[in-house]
Amino acid sequence: MRILISNDDGIYSPGILALAKAAAQFGEVRIVAPDIEQSSMGAAITSSRPLLFRKTPIEKFEAYRVNGTPSDCVALGLHLWGGADLVLSGINLGSNLGNSTWHSGTLAAAKQAVLLGTRGIALSTPFDDNEPEFTALEPSVTTVLDLLVHRQKERLLNVNIPLHSTGVRWTRQSVRHYDGAIVPDKDPKGREHFWFTVTPLEKAEPGTDRWAVENGWTSITPLRLDLTDESALSSALQEFKHQN
Ligand code: MN
């Protein structure tokens, strides 16, 4: 089994090495990842300049760094490897829950895989000021990969693994609250500038990704690329059927 691994934290992140080590139990691993951090780049692609694909072995793994986004890395990686059976993205230093799935480069790499016909799984872990303990996280990562690597039912999965996870929960995306906020500040010359920040939220609704991780479980959310609002479409079709 060929497993392509990417991320948005950059090829030198400890998270991507931890994921490669866990994935190597399941197949042949190749790493293709951005040469610098590309967090919060979403599904951006680079279309106005050429991309470079440079060999950068990471410990025992065949690895390449790309001067582009996570989506670029997956597209280029799949093309130059002649395809893969699975794309894994992460392990991101920071959870990707709720509405952050819109901005996440980690998840975008998995989405890009699905767009190109390959299963995609994004993996993230909550992160504060302390470096994540990937050695302690490793058993939970292996448990999740054991469960998901050979499953064909879902094409796109968003996985969030807390340290010392107490089990796995299948969840839905939490969309009730948006946690992005603009905070004004001043630069050293007194000019106003702005920070886009993520603020803490109240407790999440049961059954959601945020709820699972807040309760110490690993969250697995199946996602889809089709964003069509089916109920809005069907009522609009009824309303405008005379125009069809
Ligand atoms: Mn990141």
Side-chain angles (χ1 to χ4, degrees):
M1 176 177 223
R2 283 178 165 188
I3 305 173
L4 180 71
I5 297 191
S6 194
N7 74 353
D8 76 357
D9 291 333
I11 196 160
Y12 303 111
S13 166
I16 202 166
L17 178 58
L19 182 54
K21 285 177 176 171
Q25 303 169 77
F26 300 89
E28 185 188 353
V29 162
R30 182 183 285 196
I31 297 172
V32 180
D35 56 0
I36 57 169
E37 184 174 350
Q38 298 281 333
S39 291
S40 301
M41 291 297 283
I45 53 169
T46 302
S47 57
S48 57
R49 59 174 175 80
L51 293 169
L52 299 173
F53 191 77
R54 288 174 287 200
K55 196 159 194 173
T56 309
I58 303 289
E59 293 194 3
K60 64 177 180 177
F61 297 104
E62 185 171 348
Y64 302 85
R65 67 187 195 276
V66 176
N67 58 337
T69 65
S71 295
D72 294 331
C73 290
V74 170
L76 201 52
L78 287 173
H79 175 76
L80 292 175
W81 203 5
D85 301 294
L86 176 66
V87 172
L88 301 177
S89 176
I91 301 168
N92 190 59
L93 305 187
S95 54
N96 277 305
L97 301 164
N99 287 308
S100 67
T101 57
W102 288 100
H103 311 300
S104 166
T106 307
L107 194 48
K111 287 179 188 165
Q112 184 70 19
V114 177
L115 281 171
L116 294 169
T118 305
R119 293 179 66 230
I121 304 175
L123 300 102
S124 307
T125 190
F127 175 56
D128 50 26
D129 290 337
N130 302 313
E131 193 81 358
E133 299 169 43
F134 286 109
T135 308
L137 198 67
E138 199 274 331
S140 301
V141 176
T142 298
T143 298
V144 162
L145 293 181
D146 222 14
L147 177 67
L148 299 179
V149 160
H150 295 292
R151 279 181 71 86
Q152 296 297 326
K153 289 181 182 169
E154 306 86 18
R155 302 294 295 164
L156 177 62
L157 290 164
N158 184 29
V159 178
N160 283 269
I161 310 172
L163 191 60
H164 310 304
S165 167
T166 51
V168 166
R169 290 288 182 278
W170 287 82
T171 60
R172 68 182 59 255
Q173 181 186 4
S174 170
V175 291
R176 192 181 287 175
H177 306 280
Y178 186 54
D179 53 0
I182 301 288
V183 177
D185 201 353
K186 291 258 172 32
D187 76 5
K189 291 190 169 180
R191 294 170 298 202
E192 193 172 39
H193 63 201
F194 301 90
W195 284 95
F196 199 103
T197 65
V198 174
T199 56
L201 295 163
E202 66 246 52
K203 280 197 173 297
E205 57 277 34
T208 63
D209 51 5
R210 284 180 48 222
W211 164 84
V213 171
E214 281 173 10
N215 285 283
W217 292 309
T218 293
S219 167
I220 305 177
T221 309
L223 296 172
R224 61 183 181 188
L225 296 181
D226 180 356
L227 299 176
T228 308
D229 182 334
E230 294 293 345
S231 77
L233 174 62
S234 90
S235 76
L237 283 173
Q238 283 203 326
E239 185 183 342
F240 295 102
K241 62 185 169 204
H242 59 282
Q243 296 177 2
N244 285 349

